[in-house]
Amino acid sequence: MADSRIRLQKAIAESGVTSRRKAEKLIVDGKVKVNGITVTTLGTKVSKNDEIEVNGIKLEKEEPVYFMFYKPREVISSVKDEKDRKVVLDFFSEVKERIFPIGRLDYQSSGLLLLTNDGEFANVVMHPRHGIEKVYIVKVKGIPHKRELFQMKKGVREGRDLLKALRWKVLSTDAKQKTAILEITLGEGKNRHIRRMMDVLGYPVLKIKREKYGLLTLDGLHPGEYRPLTPKEVKQMWSLGTKNVK
């Protein structure tokens, strides 16, 4: 008979509490109990009947859910905000599962954001080494020369980070307003990646909208709206993330 048990860190990730990587650290740090006994050995297997506690809180197994959200500007990509600003979960009042955003779009940026309660899925989709491409439409102040934009592929140094773009395209320019609209594709997403990169090049960002995440697009959604991912879309994102592991 096949072993129906799974690794403890996977069970924790599937509960939506955290990613598998962070679950492993919690186990090693002695923060996890199985049936009342502290477990610190990675690779320990558990069944659906085992009682798991993380930091003293019993895990309640939820069915995994996956959503695509069109984040408006001036909304925080978080489950709560200490300054009491609007957060993405304010738009999901009818969803009973404990979902969280995968990665971030900064406060002034809009566009496609994924939310889930599946920590392992979040880790696969978000981690830079999995290389899932994200496409942004970016309006900048000034009209960059192509030789300056080519620098993005080589990398732009800002602080300790080397900020790169996989591809770029000039969609339009406005000589009168002295602005340009660019399409920029990233394979990773450091904090305020595009804004910092364009600041170094001398072309401050006026607006950013994420239009594509892997194979997913915003088609059919308006700002503030969301929809569940289809089983096919979830499978495609898993496939993209796992096949791109470097």
Side-chain angles (χ1 to χ4, degrees), residues 30-48:
K31 305 292 187 182
V32 178
K33 291 183 178 180
V34 178
N35 300 325
I37 300 172
T38 300
V39 175
T40 57
T41 303
L42 296 178
T44 298
K45 289 193 173 183
V46 294
S47 73
K48 63 180 180 180

Side-chain angles (χ1 to χ4, degrees), residues 110-123:
S110 66
L112 199 162
L113 186 69
L114 299 177
L115 295 96
T116 186
N117 61 349
D118 185 338
E120 187 175 2
F121 176 82
N123 189 51

Side-chain angles (χ1 to χ4, degrees), residues 142-154:
I143 301 177
H145 193 280
K146 285 187 176 181
R147 67 172 175 268
E148 296 171 306
L149 295 177
F150 274 117
Q151 186 62 40
M152 291 192 295
K153 295 188 72 173
K154 298 178 181 177

Side-chain angles (χ1 to χ4, degrees), residues 13 26 30 47 71 95 112 119 160 166 171 221 229-230 244:
L26 288 168
S47 73
K71 187 187 96 65
V95 175
L112 199 162
R160 295 183 177 181
L166 295 178
L171 299 181
L221 289 181
L229 297 188
T230 66
N244 289 339

Side-chain angles (χ1 to χ4, degrees), residues 111 125 128 138:
V125 169
V138 184

Side-chain angles (χ1 to χ4, degrees), residues 103-106 109 126-129 134 136 155-165 186-197 208 210:
R104 291 178 178 272
L105 282 174
D106 69 47
S109 298
M126 182 173 58
H127 201 288
R129 72 189 180 97
K134 296 171 280 289
Y136 301 79
V156 174
R157 181 67 64 180
E158 202 277 333
R160 295 183 177 181
D161 292 329
L162 185 64
L163 306 171
K164 292 184 178 182
L186 301 183
E188 59 179 349
K190 295 184 173 71
N191 182 40
R192 303 181 77 253
H193 190 122
I194 292 176
R195 292 183 187 276
R196 293 163 62 201
M197 186 168 59
I208 297 181
R210 183 194 283 164

